[in-house]
Amino acid sequence: MEKTVAIPENVQIEIKGLQVTVKGNDELSRDFSDPRLNGLIKIEKKDSTIHVSNSEDSRKIGANVGTIAAHIKNMILGVTTGFKYTMKIMYTHFPLTVSISGDEIQIKNFFGEKGSRTAGIVGKTEVKVDKEYVILTGNNVEDVGQTAANIERACKLTGRDRRIFQDGIFLTDRQLKTGEKV
């Protein structure tokens, strides 16, 4: 199986074995080496495309070829345009207060709780808190997505009916920084 990824003009890609570095407006690198795939997957750069292929005809290894190609596409999108996730702050009775302190997001007054809940900011993700929105931007889609998941997990409710108690911070929109849908 073989997957190809086109390289835009303003992007440089370096490949050393299974380690890929993508340079554009920013730089992202990732190591795809895995002991289970030792020597079975090959990443090559030919002209203006990247070829990800496997040497063995196996479904599991073929699935990894597609996954690696998708990761490289996301890295190229990240260094050229970047990603923007929008989350909405929802509450019915107790108004939530969301603030940023260092590499954490503080969520205060969740259901009237005295303490604050925290969510970690992953990587170089930039967080901006508007009145009722939390806007996450960054070049690495995995870091931005994990930060959004950390925020949603920090507002998790236990022991209450989620259909009635709908307070929290929820992901409402995922798009590129240019405004296109992901």
Side-chain angles (χ1 to χ4, degrees):
M1 176 178 220
E2 182 175 356
K3 296 281 186 178
T4 59
V5 178
I7 303 172
E9 292 179 13
N10 55 350
V11 174
Q12 293 84 34
I13 295 182
E14 296 175 15
I15 299 171
K16 293 178 184 168
L18 291 179
Q19 183 168 356
V20 178
T21 303
V22 181
K23 295 178 184 174
N25 299 336
D26 197 11
E27 181 177 330
L28 291 174
S29 64
R30 179 154 182 173
D31 189 10
F32 294 106
S33 60
D34 189 333
R36 295 170 293 180
L37 307 173
N38 233 355
L40 299 175
I41 291 185
K42 192 168 27 171
I43 303 173
E44 297 174 316
K45 181 179 175 183
K46 296 178 186 173
D47 298 329
S48 64
T49 58
I50 293 180
H51 296 274
V52 182
S53 60
N54 61 338
S55 59
E56 197 174 293
D57 197 24
S58 169
R59 284 182 67 173
K60 287 184 179 181
I61 297 169
N64 284 314
V65 167
T67 300
I68 291 171
H71 281 298
I72 293 172
K73 285 180 188 175
N74 282 337
M75 291 169 69
I76 291 171
L77 273 176
V79 298
T80 55
T81 57
F83 298 95
K84 176 182 174 184
Y85 282 27
T86 306
M87 302 183 79
K88 186 162 174 70
I89 301 170
M90 306 283 292
Y91 57 87
T92 53
H93 187 266
F94 296 104
L96 293 178
T97 305
V98 180
S99 61
I100 303 165
S101 63
D103 60 344
E104 286 185 337
I105 297 170
Q106 300 279 328
I107 304 161
K108 296 178 183 162
N109 203 30
F110 184 71
F111 270 111
E113 293 175 349
K114 298 292 181 196
S116 65
R117 296 181 177 213
T118 60
I121 299 172
V122 181
K124 296 180 182 178
T125 304
E126 298 172 15
V127 180
K128 185 176 127 184
V129 179
D130 228 2
K131 291 179 182 176
E132 58 184 36
Y133 292 101
V134 177
I135 299 166
L136 310 171
T137 56
N139 293 332
N140 192 342
V141 70
E142 294 172 11
D143 291 348
V144 176
Q146 187 60 52
T147 302
N150 290 346
I151 294 170
E152 281 192 356
R153 190 174 353 131
C155 296
K156 185 175 180 188
L157 274 178
T158 54
R160 295 178 193 243
D161 190 353
R162 201 68 179 135
R163 296 170 295 181
I164 297 170
F165 300 98
Q166 297 180 357
D167 294 20
I169 304 173
F170 303 102
L171 182 66
T172 57
D173 192 27
R174 295 181 319 163
Q175 61 187 5
L176 298 175
K177 283 185 185 175
T178 58
E180 299 174 44
K181 294 285 183 190
V182 177

